[in-house]
Each structure stands twice: as C-alpha cells, then as structure tokens.
Amino acid sequence: MIYVFHAALAAMAFLVTLNGFLKGAKKAQIDAILGAMVVGLLVVGFVAFGWMMGAVALILAFVYAGISRPLAAAAAARLLSSASGSPSGRYRGLPDPVLGRISRSLGRQRSPEQALDDLLHGGSSQRIDARSDLLDYCVAKPGILEVMQSFDLDRSDLEDLYFALMAVGAGQWAGGHWVAASALAYPDSLRFVAKKMGRGQAADRDETLRAVYALVMHFERGAPLAES
C-alpha cells in the first residue's frame, strides 16, 4: 500500500511540474486541481500511515518534483511543439545549476516600475550583481569567447545585448530558461543574437521581435534558430 501511495505521489508531483512548463487558457485551473489532488494524497498519507510517514511524504513530494523537473521540461517541450506544429528540434534541457541560480536572481518577479528602473538605471544591487555573475559565467566559456571574437564583442557588448533583449520582451521564462540570460550563455544562441541585434545591425523592430520570438520557441520547445 505504501508503495502505491508513493507512486501516486510521485506521479502527481510530475504532473504539477509538467503543468508549470505548459501554457494555455486552463493552466491555472489545472494547476489548482492538481494541487488539490496532491493535498488530498498528503492528507491520506497522514491518516493512513501516521504523522511521521505523512511528514516524510510531504518532504518527498518536493523531492519528487525536483527529480522530475528535467523530464517534465523535456516532455512539455515535446507537447508544445507537437500541439503547435512548430519546426521540430531538440530541447536544450534545463540550464546548469550556476546559470539556473543566476537566472532565478534575474528573473524574480518585479513591478513595472522596477522593470523600468532595471532598463534605465540597472536595477537593484542584487540584480546588478546577478548581471555581473551572468557576464562572468559567459566569458568563462570558451565557446562564448569564440563567438565574441568572431563578432568583435566585449563584456560591455554582452551587457548591452542583455538590456536590448530585455527591452524587446526576452525578459520571460521559457522551458526553465530566463530567455535574456540563456540567449547569451550558449554559443549558438549568442551567435544568433549577435547576427540579429549586434553592433552594426539595423534596428528593425519587427525583425528584433521575430528574433526574440525565435529565442523563446528555441528554449521552450527546441525549435531551431534560423540565422538567415
């Protein structure tokens, strides 16, 4: 019985995590239903197996969700790609722990006033530190340095690209990635951004918006980045 209970709890944790990566008009309702089902399972655990096993189940629910996150992200990418009929590709996977930590700092929810302050004045000291960490992370990667050399970019150019991405809508989560950060943190996506938005490129807003959309689809669904 206990094994069935934990199998059900793990399955529900996976579904909750999966729904977090999905989109749709009914996402909030589905999330509420799944959350209620998880709470119901935990109540059953406390009643059927005692408070100690119930407490263990509560902790394990978070563990199951964490363990299933990479699988849920990949499954969501495949589902979203199939549902939309978008070009197939390979989902990149979640960012590594260092980039993930930086992205969480950069992607914390903020008010419109704070977002404007980020663009005009650089934002809070924590966000400034997070951007500095992002740039340190990028320039420490040989593949990124190679792209930077190809496009004659320096560290300040990367920061300018980050601000440019934020200004046109890349400050959003997609497939577990903070798009404005991850766009600079991988050689292929940085090459794409440099070609579309780097120095000397025409500031065509429609083209820039299409580039941001392509980045979102890439990190969310694995859609290939067309550089032409």
Side-chain angles (χ1 to χ4, degrees):
M1 182 66 178
I2 188 70
Y3 298 110
V4 174
F5 170 76
H6 279 284
L9 186 61
M12 292 306 304
F14 170 77
L15 290 175
V16 170
T17 306
L18 174 64
N19 192 55
F21 289 108
L22 295 175
K23 294 182 176 180
K26 296 184 178 180
K27 177 178 177 177
Q29 294 94 316
I30 294 172
D31 204 39
I33 293 170
L34 291 174
M37 293 175 70
V38 171
V39 171
L41 270 176
L42 291 173
V43 170
V44 169
F46 277 98
V47 172
F49 305 110
W51 70 267
M52 185 174 292
M53 290 301 296
V56 170
L58 178 61
I59 295 171
L60 285 177
F62 291 97
V63 174
Y64 293 148
I67 292 174
S68 67
R69 196 163 183 265
L71 179 60
R78 183 174 293 275
L79 287 171
L80 289 169
S81 180
S82 299
S84 66
S86 56
S88 60
R90 183 178 181 182
Y91 172 63
R92 183 179 292 278
L94 294 171
D96 65 44
V98 176
L99 181 58
R101 174 185 58 79
I102 295 169
S103 297
R104 286 190 295 274
S105 296
L106 291 169
R108 286 198 183 101
Q109 189 172 9
R110 59 206 190 283
S111 68
E113 293 78 11
Q114 290 172 322
L116 182 61
D117 182 62
D118 283 355
L119 292 174
L120 296 180
H121 308 295
S124 65
S125 60
Q126 292 90 344
R127 210 172 294 278
I128 292 172
D129 290 343
R131 279 200 308 274
S132 179
D133 289 343
L134 172 64
L135 299 178
D136 289 341
Y137 174 89
C138 291
V139 300
K141 298 178 70 175
I144 295 296
L145 287 176
E146 182 179 340
V147 176
M148 290 174 66
Q149 291 169 0
S150 298
F151 289 90
D152 193 25
L153 302 175
D154 57 26
R155 184 186 174 97
S156 64
D157 292 321
L158 287 186
E159 187 168 28
D160 289 343
L161 285 173
Y162 179 83
F163 282 124
L165 286 164
M166 290 290 292
V168 291
Q172 59 177 291
W173 290 99
H177 290 263
W178 183 246
V179 176
S182 289
L184 306 180
Y186 299 94
D188 55 339
S189 55
L190 176 58
R191 184 177 294 107
F192 176 82
V193 171
K195 284 188 175 183
K196 300 294 185 180
M197 302 173 62
R199 285 183 303 183
Q201 303 303 315
D204 184 297
R205 182 169 178 79
D206 289 341
E207 179 68 19
T208 301
L209 291 174
R210 283 194 291 270
V212 170
Y213 178 78
L215 287 166
V216 172
M217 293 299 101
H218 174 69
F219 288 112
E220 180 179 84
R221 309 178 185 190
L225 292 170
E227 297 181 4
S228 58

